[in-house]
Amino acid sequence: MVVVGELLFGAENSTRPLQNLSRYLEFISACVVVPLGRETATTYARTRLALKRKGRPIPMNDVWISAQCLEHDWVLVTDDKDFDYVDGLILEHCQARSVVLISLAVIA
C-alpha cells in the first residue's frame, strides 16, 4: 500500500498528472496489493529503531517498504541508496527508469 501511495503522489506531483495518474491507476489495478499487518508493524518498529541506533535514519515510507520486504523475504529492486542501511534487506540495484515498474513487484 505504501508503494501505491508513493506512485500516486508521484503522478499527482508530476508535470503531466492526468496522463500519469491514468497510467499508474491502470498498472496498479493489475497488481495484488499486500496489506500491512501486525507483523509488518513489528518489523517496521525494529527496523526504524536499528536505523536510529546506527545514526542512519531513512524516510518513513522507505522503512515501511523495507519492513514488508523483510517480512516476506522479498528482493527490493531500487536505485535508492537509503535502503543500503537496512540490515537483512535483500537488494537489487537498478537504473532509475526501471524502479517505478519493478518496485511495484513489492505490491504483487
Side-chain angles (χ1 to χ4, degrees), residues 27-88:
F27 186 80
I28 291 165
S29 70
C31 297
V32 175
V33 178
V34 178
L36 301 173
R38 189 177 308 244
E39 184 61 33
T40 311
T42 300
T43 305
Y44 166 89
R46 291 180 181 148
T47 302
R48 185 173 173 194
L49 183 59
L51 290 164
K52 180 182 178 186
R53 288 180 175 161
K54 283 199 264 186
R56 295 285 189 179
I58 65 173
M60 289 302 113
N61 281 348
D62 290 354
V63 180
W64 281 111
I65 292 166
S66 297
Q68 201 164 35
C69 288
L70 289 166
E71 176 186 0
H72 297 284
D73 294 321
W74 291 334
V75 175
L76 177 62
V77 180
T78 183
D79 72 336
D80 187 338
K81 300 296 183 193
D82 283 336
F83 291 105
D84 291 341
Y85 301 115
V86 179
D87 293 334

